[in-house]
Amino acid sequence: MPDQTVIYYYADAKTTHTTYSDGLEVLQFSNGQIEKHYPDGKKEITFPDQTIKNLFTDGQEESIFPDGTIVRIQRDGSKTIEFNNGQRELHTSQFKRREYPDGTVKTVYMNGQQETKYVSGRVRVKDKDGNIIMDTKL
């Protein structure tokens, strides 16, 4: 093109590959998926259901779902999920923790033990079978 944009259409794959003069590459697939490859190495993928996934050059990932849920994955494999209802989850190799909008925090450890901390200061701990082993009722 006159502006140095290069467009290829791959008929067998029904895919359009556009390269812009600033180095941005955009791939458009027949199923509606669109990938943007930025010159700095970042990639943004928009899936047919409108989920957007960002792949960063430092190894982190972020997915934004149509319902507003956001999932972030760090380089160490830990995952943070932010739900549209205000709840938040953190997944690590040691535990999964859910934080509720009212301040309650529930943690489930890899051995199955559960710990719930309430805003009132109450703490309840259950073993892997769901038996209460500690409850500080206030």
Side-chain angles (χ1 to χ4, degrees):
M1 307 297 281
D3 66 355
Q4 304 304 310
T5 299
V6 178
I7 302 171
Y8 284 100
Y9 179 72
Y10 301 96
D12 286 347
K14 297 180 183 164
T15 300
T16 303
H17 181 176
T18 306
T19 303
Y20 296 93
S21 60
D22 64 0
L24 172 67
E25 293 184 48
V26 178
L27 295 115
Q28 296 174 289
F29 299 91
S30 61
N31 67 355
Q33 178 173 316
I34 299 171
E35 292 187 14
K36 294 180 182 177
H37 298 208
Y38 294 90
D40 66 0
K42 176 186 170 200
K43 294 180 183 178
E44 177 184 287
I45 304 165
T46 303
F47 294 96
D49 70 356
Q50 299 308 302
T51 296
I52 298 170
K53 179 177 239 177
N54 292 297
L55 304 169
F56 299 98
T57 56
D58 63 2
Q60 296 183 65
E61 295 181 17
E62 176 185 73
S63 296
I64 304 167
F65 293 90
D67 70 356
T69 300
I70 301 172
V71 177
R72 292 185 179 90
I73 301 174
Q74 303 302 317
R75 288 189 325 215
D76 66 2
S78 63
K79 182 189 299 187
T80 304
I81 305 167
E82 297 176 11
F83 297 96
N84 61 7
N85 62 5
Q87 295 180 14
R88 188 172 181 264
E89 268 190 22
L90 175 62
H91 296 196
T92 72
S93 58
Q94 284 80 38
F95 63 84
K96 292 181 182 178
R97 174 175 296 144
R98 184 170 285 231
E99 301 168 358
Y100 296 87
D102 70 358
T104 300
V105 177
K106 181 174 184 176
T107 305
V108 179
Y109 296 94
M110 290 303 117
N111 66 3
Q113 183 172 312
Q114 300 176 30
E115 175 184 272
T116 306
K117 294 180 180 179
Y118 299 92
V119 181
S120 65
R122 175 183 177 191
V123 177
R124 184 174 59 201
V125 180
K126 294 180 180 181
D127 66 16
K128 64 179 178 60
D129 299 318
N131 301 311
I132 296 174
I133 54 177
M134 185 185 89
D135 194 349
T136 58
K137 294 181 183 176
L138 300 175

